[in-house]
Amino acid sequence: MADEVTRIENPDSSEYVSQLLGLMIQNLAGMGVSTDVSDAPIPDKKSSLIIEVTVGLGVSATWDILKFVVGALNPSRRASAGDEITLNGKRYSITEINEEGSGDLEDND
């Protein structure tokens, strides 16, 4: 893992957020960025939920990739109003991330 790391959590064990994090991990792997993933089994299913990802990037770069992935999944059609992500301890709704677009994250690095 790089010196700079960012922790992303799925605080409410949302399947949509887990899917979003999975897509983010795929994008990061394609860029050669290291990730550590924690997941939990879904009862009565043969799959699991991603509940936490530690990314070998600083907050600003992680935030930019997260905004891209959220936009790619079109959250207005799939995310529920309560879907949230925690980025280094601060909660953001998926809707908020999507609306943030190209704006900057406050207190980022």
Side-chain angles (χ1 to χ4, degrees):
M1 208 45 66
D3 291 338
E4 289 190 82
V5 295
T6 301
R7 185 173 160 187
I8 306 168
E9 296 173 274
N10 179 358
D12 301 316
S13 300
S14 160
E15 288 188 45
Y16 178 82
V17 171
S18 179
Q19 179 185 26
L20 189 149
L21 293 175
L23 183 57
M24 185 170 181
I25 292 164
Q26 289 176 352
N27 278 274
L28 292 167
M31 297 167 52
V33 176
S34 62
T35 58
D36 287 329
V37 179
S38 298
D39 57 11
I42 300 173
D44 302 324
K45 293 188 179 180
K46 292 183 179 182
S47 59
S48 60
L49 288 174
I50 298 171
I51 55 171
E52 182 179 319
V53 179
T54 303
V55 179
L57 287 174
V59 174
S60 293
T62 302
W63 179 249
D64 288 341
I65 295 166
L66 184 60
K67 288 187 296 186
F68 169 78
V69 171
V70 167
L73 283 180
N74 192 0
S76 62
R77 291 185 18 208
R78 295 188 190 113
S80 74
D83 284 333
E84 294 183 322
I85 285 181
T86 303
L87 186 67
N88 279 358
K90 185 172 180 184
R91 276 190 181 224
Y92 298 92
S93 72
I94 299 301
T95 304
E96 179 182 8
I97 295 167
N98 190 49
E99 289 172 356
E100 187 73 22
S102 61
D104 294 328
L105 176 65
E106 293 181 22
D107 300 322
N108 56 5
D109 285 321

